[in-house]
Amino acid sequence: MTYTVLARRYRSLTFQDIVGQEPIARTLQNAINAQRTAHAYLFCGTRGVGKTSMARIFARELNTSSDLKEKKEISEAIFRGDDLDVIEIDGASNRGVQEARDLIASAGLSPSRCKFRIYIIDEVHMLTTPAFNALLKTMEEPPSHVKFILCTTEPHKVPATIQSRCQRFDFRTIAAEKIAEHLVFVLKEEGVEADPEIVYEVARLGDGSMRDALSILDRLLAGGAATISLQEFTDVLGLPSQQTVYAICNAIASRDMSAAFLRCDELVSSGISLDRILDIVAVALRDALVSRVCGQDTPVLSLSDEARVEIFGIGKNLDEPTISHMIAVCDATSRQVRRGGSGRAIFDATVARLCMANEVLEAGSVLSGTTSSSKKKS
């Protein structure tokens, strides 16, 4: 039996299922109800935020009605991408002017069994300039039975002449909290248990993309375990233990250079790259900064309750200028380490510098004051 990945198995099937794009779903639903749908739409947004799913749902709602005998068959065909009247085209592999001309020619044909002939063009920005030019007139004044839904991750590459003929909708990245809620639902459906901390971390790693988060979850479920442990999470994804990261940050905050070196060496010995460690420490410090400024329970942070307590404790032991300086140091060194050279030496020196961040900042202030005083005297 062929396995279907989670991102496809749990794809939204109705406007109500859409996660994170509720305003767009509501607007399109109202347009259908009021019979005020446009002839062309442009869906913009990063990968995995629901553009193609929304296009299919919209097409299904336009082309099916309660009294249609073949409603179920048509709906299933649309979501499979092989319906006769809802034609999905990949802009990356059908980008030439000839493909555009073929599309224009087929647009003149009447729908076979539905009200509209709908063209969903994914990654439309990949079309060539001649192909866009060929589409232009048809998109401006298409036959009454034709509608276009263009999807793109790079709207700046779509000509203004095309955009001006479309109703544009910008899909936002999905909040980590909403992704986490959906992941909890998926885990329940799959009969798998996972700690809230793992769910939150997977949601964060998705970086606003539901598909990316579900792909990460797929990797965790591949082993077939009924429970996902924190150790399995870190081993499968090749990530450092979050507790170890917090221990490093606590050592830095308390200026315990020895403990910081020992904890960092644990991560290096486990095979995690130096730049990756610095990136993860920078993220933890950012969370500490936000927690210190906005409070432990701030909605700005997408963390479990246990992680919030840890992060708040780190933030309490540092001030805002120091944390900001630490994040900048981590970022600069991470880029330097990627370029090669004496990576470990630079890494260890950076850890030492983080532990001495207060002294470095104070020395800088003294030098700055001295410089400004001498300038005044002269």
Side-chain angles (χ1 to χ4, degrees):
M1 184 176 177
T2 306
Y3 176 71
T4 305
V5 296
L6 297 177
R8 290 180 58 194
R9 201 140 37 96
Y10 292 95
R11 201 167 200 166
S12 301
L13 298 177
T14 67
F15 283 125
Q16 289 71 35
D17 294 339
I18 292 288
V19 179
Q21 313 299 340
E22 291 83 1
I24 297 175
R26 188 165 54 250
T27 300
L28 294 177
Q29 180 73 73
N30 291 341
I32 293 172
N33 293 339
Q35 298 185 356
R36 295 180 64 88
T37 55
H39 63 272
Y41 291 84
L42 179 63
F43 292 170
C44 310
T46 188
R47 67 188 186 282
V49 293
K51 299 185 299 298
T52 305
S53 294
M54 187 77 83
R56 288 177 175 177
I57 293 169
F58 189 39
R60 192 269 311 276
E61 292 298 311
L62 285 169
N63 265 2
T64 59
S65 57
S66 56
D67 58 344
L68 188 63
K69 291 182 180 179
E70 299 174 288
K71 180 179 179 179
K72 184 179 178 181
E73 291 80 2
I74 292 171
S75 296
E76 290 174 353
I78 289 173
F79 282 102
R80 286 196 309 269
D82 57 13
D83 185 64
L84 296 173
D85 296 322
V86 180
I87 301 97
E88 288 195 29
I89 300 167
D90 176 23
S93 44
N94 298 277
R95 61 197 303 264
V97 66
Q98 188 54 52
E99 286 87 351
R101 286 171 178 159
D102 292 342
L103 187 155
I104 292 165
S106 65
L109 301 174
S110 298
S112 60
R113 54 182 180 175
C114 297
K115 185 177 181 181
F116 298 106
R117 193 169 181 83
I118 302 171
Y119 292 91
I120 300 174
I121 307 179
D122 203 10
E123 299 302 332
V124 70
H125 64 271
M126 296 293 287
L127 296 183
T128 61
T129 301
F132 274 126
N133 291 337
L135 272 176
L136 194 57
K137 186 63 178 175
T138 302
M139 285 192 62
E140 184 176 24
E141 297 177 0
S144 58
H145 61 268
V146 171
K147 291 188 183 294
F148 291 95
I149 305 175
L150 315 180
C151 303
T152 179
T153 54
E154 300 184 51
H156 59 280
K157 292 185 178 179
V158 179
T161 50
I162 295 290
Q163 294 199 38
S164 67
R165 288 158 174 79
C166 302
Q167 278 193 13
R168 173 170 168 165
F169 289 92
D170 289 282
F171 286 61
R172 301 170 294 184
T173 52
I174 306 171
E177 290 80 6
K178 289 184 176 291
I179 294 178
E181 287 175 11
H182 189 64
L183 294 180
V184 169
F185 166 76
V186 171
L187 286 168
K188 186 177 179 181
E189 291 293 308
E190 294 294 309
V192 177
E193 294 183 2
D195 292 335
E197 188 175 345
I198 293 173
V199 175
Y200 273 101
E201 194 57 31
V202 171
R204 288 181 59 172
L205 291 172
D207 196 24
S209 168
M210 182 65 78
R211 185 171 63 236
D212 286 4
L214 287 171
S215 296
I216 294 169
L217 189 62
D218 242 330
R219 288 166 61 186
L220 295 173
L221 298 181
T227 303
I228 304 173
S229 66
L230 196 56
Q231 186 61 47
E232 185 178 5
F233 169 76
T234 56
D235 290 345
V236 171
L237 299 183
L239 296 172
S241 162
Q242 203 62 42
Q243 290 305 316
T244 304
V245 174
Y246 292 155
I248 292 171
C249 292
N250 276 312
I252 290 170
S254 59
R255 306 181 193 179
D256 188 344
M257 201 178 298
S258 173
F261 277 146
L262 288 171
R263 290 295 192 169
C264 285
D265 189 64
E266 287 179 20
L267 298 185
V268 174
S269 300
S270 68
I272 300 170
S273 64
L274 301 176
D275 60 307
R276 181 65 176 145
I277 296 171
L278 288 168
D279 289 342
I280 292 170
V281 169
V283 170
L285 289 171
R286 173 263 175 190
D287 291 343
L289 176 62
V290 173
S291 181
R292 178 181 174 83
V293 174
C294 303
Q296 182 175 322
D297 299 322
T298 175
V300 177
L301 293 176
S302 303
L303 298 172
S304 64
D305 293 339
E306 295 82 358
R308 286 176 182 272
V309 173
E310 289 278 0
I311 283 296
F312 187 70
I314 295 167
K316 278 200 307 183
N317 295 324
L318 297 165
D319 57 31
E320 292 86 346
T322 302
I323 302 177
S324 300
H325 171 71
M326 288 177 172
I327 294 171
V329 168
C330 287
D331 178 64
T333 308
S334 176
R335 285 185 274 115
Q336 190 172 355
V337 166
R338 288 190 195 102
R339 291 196 294 267
S342 305
R344 185 61 191 268
I346 295 172
F347 175 82
D348 288 340
T350 300
V351 174
R353 184 178 175 184
L354 292 174
C355 292
M356 298 186 296
N358 279 336
E359 289 86 340
V360 172
L361 285 174
E362 287 171 10
S365 299
V366 170
L367 289 172
S368 175
T370 303
T371 305
S372 60
S373 319
S374 60
K375 282 183 180 178
K376 286 177 183 176
K377 288 177 183 177
S378 60

